[in-house]
């Protein structure tokens, strides 16, 4: 068990270093997670983020704040969905 926990910490350190290299070091944990989700998936909406099991620990308002941070800082873009005008598609350009 101790070895597994030690390995987990090593992975956390490696992830932290990678995030810093990508310029994500100053982002909050949820902002980094939302950014990673958007960049690794297509046709991402806030609903898709909220419905992913990883994000079940976050409230909808927390996810919306993270998306607002990312869009208002020009990190990701939001485009109106062509199939459902109520939805905004989030993309990393």
């Amino acid at each position: 068990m101790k070895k597994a926990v030690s390995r987990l910490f090593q992975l956390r350190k490696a992830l932290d270093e990678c995030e810093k290299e990508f310029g994500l070091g100053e982002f909050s944990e949820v902002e980094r997670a939302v950014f990673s989700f958007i960049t690794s998936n297509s046709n991402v909406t806030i609903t898709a983020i909220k419905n992913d099991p990883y994000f079940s620990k976050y409230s909808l308002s927390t996810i919306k704040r993270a998306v607002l941070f990312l869009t208002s800082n020009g990190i990701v873009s939001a485009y109106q969905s062509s199939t459902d005008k109520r939805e905004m598609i989030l993309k990393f350009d």
Side-chain angles (χ1 to χ4, degrees):
M1 174 76 171
K2 186 173 181 172
K3 187 175 181 180
V5 173
S6 176
R7 179 68 180 138
L8 179 61
F9 181 68
Q10 295 301 318
L11 290 170
R12 285 185 194 276
K13 283 178 25 179
L15 177 60
D16 187 57
E17 286 300 315
C18 286
E19 289 173 341
K20 284 179 184 174
E21 287 177 21
F22 286 116
L24 306 175
E26 301 300 316
F27 292 13
S28 70
E29 178 187 343
V30 68
E31 290 162 352
R32 290 190 307 261
V34 168
F35 176 77
S36 297
F37 186 84
I38 291 169
T39 58
S40 62
N41 293 283
S42 60
N43 296 319
V44 174
T45 62
I46 289 176
T47 302
I49 296 169
K50 182 62 183 152
N51 289 339
D52 188 273
Y54 178 83
F55 291 97
S56 65
K57 59 187 169 187
Y58 299 111
S59 69
L60 179 59
S61 59
T62 298
I63 293 169
K64 284 183 176 183
R65 276 193 301 276
V67 169
L68 180 61
F69 170 82
L70 295 169
T71 55
S72 59
N73 286 295
I75 299 162
V76 298
S77 301
Y79 302 95
Q80 191 172 42
S81 170
S82 59
T83 57
D84 186 346
K85 301 295 183 189
R86 298 169 295 174
E87 287 190 327
M88 298 298 285
I89 305 295
L90 303 167
K91 293 184 180 178
F92 176 67
D93 296 323

